[in-house]
Amino acid sequence: MKQVLLILFILLSMLSGYAQSFYFEKPDYKEIEKAIKVKGSDYYYSALMERYHRADTTMTLEEKRHLYYGYSFQPKYSPYDTPDFADSLRAVLQKDQHSDSELKRIVKYADLLLADNPFDLRAINYQLYALEKLEKQEAFRKRLNQMNITIEALLSSGDGLKKESAFYVIYTTHEYDLLDILGFQFGGQQSLIEHYDYLKVAENPSQVEGMYFDVSPCLNSLNKMFK
């Protein structure tokens, strides 16, 4: 498990400097919803997802944003589901060392998680660890590119320092992923303020007290569940 976390640290550290100077703009969900329905356009959703599955490195930032935020309008979007096989993956990851057969199981379970949520950064990270150990270089590069696509979309949405510049996420797990990317540690306190999650962060050199995340798609999905 320690080696898995080390891979996460290395990969996210590569992006942390990039994150600090990233230009950001909050997503316009209404415009995105319209754009991804236009067949033949650059933002038509099924075409974007096909490019994502190919790990297309030529995608523009706007295409990445329409891909990520547009997923909240897809029938499969269910931000509060917990697949049964997630426990199976966690059980394998508890070990400090893994045999080839165990590494292949990690790849298999991660694939199942990603079939349910293609932007699950933790599943991608665990699979990257296994693929590196198995020396599956092409598959490793593909997953790494997909991770980058997702992270770039997230980082383009804000800086998280106040509600007006909150990060926009479609999964609450991405809040904690972004803290890691930016070099912060969760301070143990979470608050829901209107449609924003506020996470307090541990003491840090930047003297940032906490970060804001717009979780509107998550709340909308939750409301639909209880209608």
Side-chain angles (χ1 to χ4, degrees), residues 32-207:
I32 289 174
E33 184 179 15
K34 291 178 184 177
I36 61 175
K37 294 178 180 177
V38 181
K39 292 184 178 181
S41 75
D42 291 340
Y43 303 132
Y44 185 53
Y45 201 79
S46 61
L48 286 177
M49 184 56 74
E50 182 181 344
R51 293 177 67 187
Y52 177 73
H53 286 312
R54 296 200 312 266
D56 187 346
T57 58
T58 68
M59 292 181 72
T60 67
L61 179 57
E62 278 305 311
E63 289 168 343
K64 295 170 185 176
R65 285 163 58 89
H66 279 71
L67 169 74
Y68 176 75
Y69 294 108
Y71 192 68
S72 64
F73 301 107
Q74 304 309 302
K76 287 188 67 175
Y77 175 65
S78 185
Y80 294 106
D81 277 358
T82 304
D84 294 336
F85 38 80
D87 291 335
S88 301
L89 176 58
R90 279 192 289 268
V92 181
L93 291 170
Q94 291 305 310
K95 297 185 177 182
D96 286 337
Q97 301 291 333
H98 298 96
S99 65
D100 280 1
S101 63
E102 289 170 333
L103 291 170
K104 290 175 182 177
R105 284 167 59 197
I106 292 173
V107 172
K108 174 186 175 182
Y109 291 139
D111 276 338
L112 291 171
L113 287 169
L114 290 166
D116 185 66
N117 170 10
F119 306 108
D120 187 333
L121 292 175
R122 298 178 190 190
I124 293 177
N125 174 63
Y126 298 144
Q127 194 171 83
L128 286 172
Y129 158 76
L131 291 171
E132 183 191 47
K133 292 292 185 181
L134 292 168
E135 298 183 349
K136 302 288 187 180
Q137 296 181 0
E138 184 176 349
F140 180 92
R141 284 194 296 270
K142 179 178 178 180
R143 284 301 189 206
L144 183 59
N145 287 338
Q146 290 174 334
M147 174 181 270
N148 288 341
I149 287 170
T150 304
I151 292 175
E152 286 179 28
L154 286 163
L155 292 176
S156 75
S157 66
D159 61 15
L161 297 178
K162 51 188 178 181
K163 287 193 291 186
E164 293 77 11
S165 60
F167 285 116
Y168 282 67
V169 300
I170 64 172
Y171 290 97
T172 55
T173 54
H174 288 161
E175 300 173 14
Y176 301 89
D177 295 332
L178 282 170
L179 289 187
D180 286 334
I181 292 168
L182 296 171
F184 297 116
Q185 292 183 338
F186 178 47
Q189 183 178 339
Q190 178 267 341
S191 304
L192 181 63
I193 305 170
E194 300 166 1
H195 51 91
Y196 301 96
D197 260 350
Y198 177 76
L199 300 187
K200 190 171 180 61
V201 300
E203 186 175 346
N204 58 86
S206 301
Q207 297 184 331

